[in-house]
Amino acid sequence: MRHVTLAVLIGTLSTAAAAQDMVDCVLEPASRVTITSSAEGVIRDLPVRRGDMVDRGDLLLRLDTEVEELQLELARTRAGSDVDVRAQQTRLSLREREFERVKRLSDRNVAATSALEDAEIELALTQLALEQAEFDRQLAGIEVRQAEALLARRSVLSPVSGLVVAVDASAGEYASEQSELMEIIETDPVNVEVFAPGRLFGDIAVGDSYEVTLNPPLEGSFPAEVVVVDRFFDAASGTFGVRLEVENPGGEVPTGARCRIAF
């Protein structure tokens, strides 16, 4: 009878110790991103809605692009034309031949020295004109990239993969740089935020794995890995912060839910 009582007592103490190590926690998204537009204009397309899952780089919205498309077409047309360069090359070829002709005449004392000097000046000026034409074509190529960048700014792409939790805009509205258009939460990984009792300090280390259990009415448990252990205490509660991460590629783990974790 004594052995049975002792066993029951040990079991009770073990259960109590385990209960003491069950710490409340909260599941939080890895990040919250407020989406704004770096350009201003009327919203033309808005392909996402609240509750949609998006991947990094997905189109969230597009502003009206008519003006930017015309600017890009104009820049590409200028960059694709080599008419001015070819014209200056032809002119340079003529000036070179003219200079050689005048130089031969000057060598035979048939042409005046001033005529040779004039031909030399015209040749130099034509060479400079060709260099300017080539430089202008290089600038046209830069203008193409600039027009492409301006056009790209009319589209807002998702900076993260996650869940759209709010959409505060609609097609036809005017968007400015100050407009908060939507909010996306990053759901992979999910952060587990814990304030652990001080008696556990030193027992929890980065890289440790623990089981996290959802509070009712939700059900389920999943492994989490410690990624942050605060080195300071909250004086009022005698606790210290711990952050764990839960891999959530399929989005099954809910965010914002309360949970428990056994340390």
Side-chain angles (χ1 to χ4, degrees):
M1 185 68 177
R2 179 182 177 185
H3 293 296
V4 173
T5 303
L6 183 58
V8 171
L9 179 59
I10 293 174
T12 302
L13 292 175
S14 299
T15 302
Q20 289 176 351
D21 290 345
M22 291 297 293
V23 181
D24 290 334
C25 55
V26 179
L27 300 173
E28 296 286 353
S31 65
R32 291 179 175 269
V33 181
T34 299
I35 303 300
T36 60
S37 173
S38 59
E40 297 186 355
V42 176
I43 299 174
R44 188 178 73 183
D45 299 317
L46 190 65
V48 299
R49 296 180 297 177
R50 177 182 173 184
D52 287 350
M53 295 295 297
V54 295
D55 293 324
R56 183 190 299 270
D58 282 355
L59 176 67
L60 300 179
L61 65 89
R62 180 181 289 113
L63 304 179
D64 182 76
T65 59
E66 182 178 1
V67 173
E68 287 73 20
E69 288 175 351
L70 288 173
Q71 289 175 338
L72 178 57
E73 182 180 356
L74 178 61
R76 284 175 173 169
T77 300
R78 286 175 176 170
S81 174
D82 64 346
V83 172
D84 195 24
V85 172
R86 288 189 289 111
Q88 295 301 335
Q89 287 173 338
T90 301
R91 184 175 299 172
L92 178 60
S93 179
L94 292 174
R95 293 301 182 189
E96 287 174 340
R97 290 199 297 270
E98 177 66 16
F99 175 77
E100 290 298 328
R101 186 184 67 83
V102 174
K103 187 175 184 303
R104 287 195 300 269
L105 294 176
S106 177
D107 290 342
R108 299 201 307 264
N109 296 320
V110 175
T113 303
S114 59
L116 179 61
E117 291 175 348
D118 290 343
E120 188 174 5
I121 292 173
E122 289 297 327
L123 176 60
L125 290 175
T126 305
Q127 288 173 332
L128 290 174
L130 175 58
E131 292 178 8
Q132 182 64 54
E134 292 173 340
F135 179 70
D136 289 342
R137 196 175 185 198
Q138 290 178 356
L139 290 181
I142 296 173
E143 289 174 352
V144 170
R145 296 198 296 273
Q146 182 184 45
E148 290 173 339
L150 291 174
L151 179 60
R153 291 184 63 192
R154 309 297 288 179
S155 297
V156 179
L157 308 181
S158 179
V160 297
S161 297
L163 175 68
V164 179
V165 295
V167 177
D168 300 316
S170 60
E173 289 185 355
Y174 187 86
S176 67
E177 296 180 3
Q178 291 75 36
S179 303
E180 295 184 359
L181 305 173
M182 63 184 68
E183 184 179 9
I184 300 174
I185 60 172
E186 190 177 4
T187 56
D188 183 28
V190 171
N191 289 338
V192 183
E193 300 292 348
V194 185
F195 286 99
R199 60 185 172 77
L200 296 178
F201 189 78
D203 296 336
I204 303 172
V206 173
D208 291 349
S209 294
Y210 296 94
E211 193 77 7
V212 176
T213 303
L214 294 172
N215 281 359
L218 300 177
E219 297 180 352
S221 60
F222 32 82
E225 181 178 327
V226 178
V227 294
V228 176
V229 178
D230 288 345
R231 308 300 298 178
F232 60 90
F233 279 74
D234 178 72
S237 63
T239 60
F240 63 99
V242 179
R243 172 178 290 176
L244 303 91
E245 281 187 356
V246 177
E247 293 185 1
N248 190 32
E252 295 87 358
V253 179
T255 58
R258 293 192 174 277
C259 55
R260 293 164 294 152
I261 182 168
F263 286 113

